[in-house]
Amino acid sequence: MAIYQPIRGEPDLLALLSDKNLIRFTWLTPVCSETPNGKVLKFAKFGPSTTWVAGQYGIPVPADCNWGEPDVVVMPCVGFHRLGYRLGYGAGWYDSTLAALNPKPWSVGVAFSGTEFDVTFHEPHDQALDAVVTEDGVIFPSSPQQNQ
């Protein structure tokens, strides 16, 4: 399972990793990687003894990367819509990564409920989330066809 390192007031889930029921998972964190085909995230394993260094954008990454493939990617949302689209900080790392991964992992956005948009804002390259978790509960997006 991949989980982000929070920046700029994003919901901080890292305290959950100390839960004894969750410690058994293999935890991964995204690391920005430029490729000839564009931006993609690689996922580095981490644990309680990981040494962290500043990565791209100042986001902490493991000093020594041991790569893994996530089955679930948990990502922050600056804003979201019930159709499953999210706003981040605009660089497109998660969208390009989800589009490139095969098989595609389950994608979960984490947001504050007050950041929900009433109107859709997604663009053709945006990847819809499988779920959005807020302090009010879990939203499982419906397809755009169901909402027309």
Side-chain angles (χ1 to χ4, degrees):
M1 178 180 293
I3 189 169
Y4 62 92
Q5 300 290 323
I7 60 170
R8 300 184 200 163
E10 294 169 338
D12 186 350
L13 305 179
L14 295 178
L16 297 174
L17 303 183
S18 63
D19 184 301
K20 292 187 186 334
N21 294 315
L22 298 176
I23 200 78
R24 70 178 187 270
F25 288 101
T26 298
W27 291 101
L28 304 166
T29 193
V31 177
C32 297
S33 176
E34 300 279 348
T35 70
N37 296 330
K39 305 180 229 184
V40 295
L41 297 170
K42 293 171 70 176
F43 297 93
K45 296 177 183 178
F46 73 93
S49 62
T50 297
T51 300
W52 298 91
V53 297
Q56 193 161 347
Y57 308 111
I59 299 170
V61 298
D64 296 310
C65 291
N66 182 8
W67 305 111
E69 293 294 325
D71 51 0
V72 176
V73 176
V74 178
M75 62 197 81
C77 302
V78 172
F80 72 98
H81 187 275
R82 285 186 176 262
L83 293 178
Y85 295 101
R86 65 178 281 279
L87 289 176
Y89 285 113
W93 289 94
Y94 281 106
D95 289 316
S96 61
T97 300
L98 290 174
L101 289 174
N102 187 15
K104 184 180 176 188
W106 213 65
S107 58
V108 179
V110 178
F112 295 112
S113 61
T115 63
E116 181 176 357
F117 284 80
D118 291 333
V119 294
T120 67
F121 50 77
H122 68 280
E123 298 178 17
H125 66 274
D126 290 338
Q127 300 291 306
L129 301 169
D130 295 303
V132 178
V133 178
T134 74
E135 70 276 16
D136 293 335
V138 180
I139 298 164
F140 293 100
S142 55
S143 71
Q145 296 77 19
Q146 293 173 335
N147 291 300
Q148 291 180 351

